[in-house]
Amino acid sequence: MPATSKNTRLSRRSLLAAAAGLALGGCGVPAAYVEPRDRAGRDLSSRDKALDFANWPLYIDTDGEDTSKRPTLDAFSERTGVSVRYTEDINDNDEFFGKISPALMNHQETGRDLIVISDWMAARFVRLGWVQEMDRDRQPNVARYLDPQLRTPGFDEGRRHSVPWQSGITGIAYNRRKLGREIKHTQDLWADDLRGKVTLLSGLDESFGLLMQGNGVDITRWTADDFHTMCDQVEKLVRQKHIRRFTGNDYIKDLSTGDVLACQAYSGDVIQLQADNPDIAFVVPEEGAELWAESLMIPNLARHKRNAEALVDYYYEPEVAAELAAWVNYVCPVPAARDVLADSKDEDLAALAEDPLIFPDDAMRKRLAIARDITSVERTGFAKRWNSIVGL
């Protein structure tokens, strides 16, 4: 996959919350909540073999010679007869929230049967009752193959409303040769020889987990005190000019040019960076790193719920998951796909099976944790504090 493609897609994880999204998520807006009995629409799946699927740009496999063709999606249509209207409709979680929230809060159709959003935003949709439960009896592959570490997020007990599309790790990337030493701990970022050569992610939801873990916090149950301690630390580092700046995915360029020697980074980015520069290393600190997911969800009143459930389950077939993982290079939510790639006669594909950034080994998994999400009550105050540090 070309580096330009990956970098374009990853920008979604690093944009700050838009005012509209924060306002609604922050105050809860009780009137926007949809009761379970009002979430299902008339399902036309049995007679209308169609499906509207909204995803992020460049987040699905494409044909090497014709990028308009999507092999795994085309194979699904050939097998089931369901035509999929696939749109790259999501560029930022909060922007997309603002796009479809008027319909959802007013009990109207969104025109989409399946969407992919980051789990911290998915938590907001679940709290507001804006997505439907999936019928797991119709999804045996999900029930069988979903990564156990991703099965029980705090916001969605039993993953009833969401299924991971892809997963990833927020850790540390650094230039091993230029730095001249290894980084093993988050605290290593604050060493004197890195003054002015470190960047952190600007997005609150993207950045706080790893930084808290560096302080020894269990991010599955962090507290407000943990958050403010972390902010105090980062504020001091900003005053000392130790932190060069806060970034979106443009840290990739800084790291490549050597302007930055170490930074918060996403695992999927680093796989591509390493292909161009083997001196770039990615580390899951000994204190731990954050495991996250971006998940498939079925909005309220979707017209093709059963078709959407079938597509979700299709992507949990190990062979299909392997084909997708080989293209996107993120943590695959279907561990069984590893064996499929390992058995490939293609050496490059077989090598992916051994990449811990796609299939984390047991040692790495012990250091990965899913952060509890920021609640609606906490969000406004925490975002205000963080944005004041970042400079927004």
Side-chain angles (χ1 to χ4, degrees), residues 159-171:
R159 280 281 182 192
R160 295 174 300 167
H161 302 85
S162 62
V163 175
W165 172 250
Q166 293 294 293
S167 183
I169 302 167
T170 300

Side-chain angles (χ1 to χ4, degrees), residues 197-240:
K197 295 290 186 178
V198 174
T199 62
L200 300 180
L201 296 170
S202 57
L204 169 59
D205 295 275
E206 288 78 12
S207 55
F208 79 87
L210 180 73
L211 298 175
M212 284 188 190
Q213 286 169 303
N215 292 333
V217 174
D218 177 356
I219 60 170
T220 66
R221 51 186 180 183
W222 59 271
T223 67
D225 287 342
D226 295 326
F227 176 81
H228 289 297
T229 296
M230 178 271 293
C231 286
D232 291 343
Q233 179 185 29
V234 175
E235 269 185 329
K236 181 178 179 180
L237 291 163
V238 170
R239 289 196 302 269
Q240 295 172 342

Side-chain angles (χ1 to χ4, degrees), residues 63 174 229:
D63 185 280
Y174 69 102
T229 296

Side-chain angles (χ1 to χ4, degrees), residues 3 7 173-175 177-178 199 245 249-263 269-270 272-280:
N7 296 349
Y174 69 102
N175 191 311
R177 182 179 62 82
K178 290 187 176 181
T199 62
R245 66 190 184 103
N249 75 311
D250 44 340
Y251 71 81
I252 296 169
K253 180 180 178 181
D254 292 343
L255 191 61
S256 299
T257 61
D259 291 337
V260 162
L261 297 183
C263 59
D269 276 344
V270 176
Q272 184 62 40
L273 286 170
Q274 289 171 335
D276 300 325
N277 184 351
D279 293 323
I280 301 298

Side-chain angles (χ1 to χ4, degrees), residues 38-40 53 90 110 151 185 187-188 209 211 220 240-241 263 299 307 316 329 356 377 380:
D38 297 323
R39 297 173 191 174
F53 181 9
I90 307 172
T110 66
R151 286 180 181 269
H185 306 273
Q187 295 294 329
D188 292 344
L211 298 175
T220 66
Q240 295 172 342
K241 300 186 184 304
C263 59
N307 291 344
Y316 269 71
N329 291 168
V377 174
T380 300

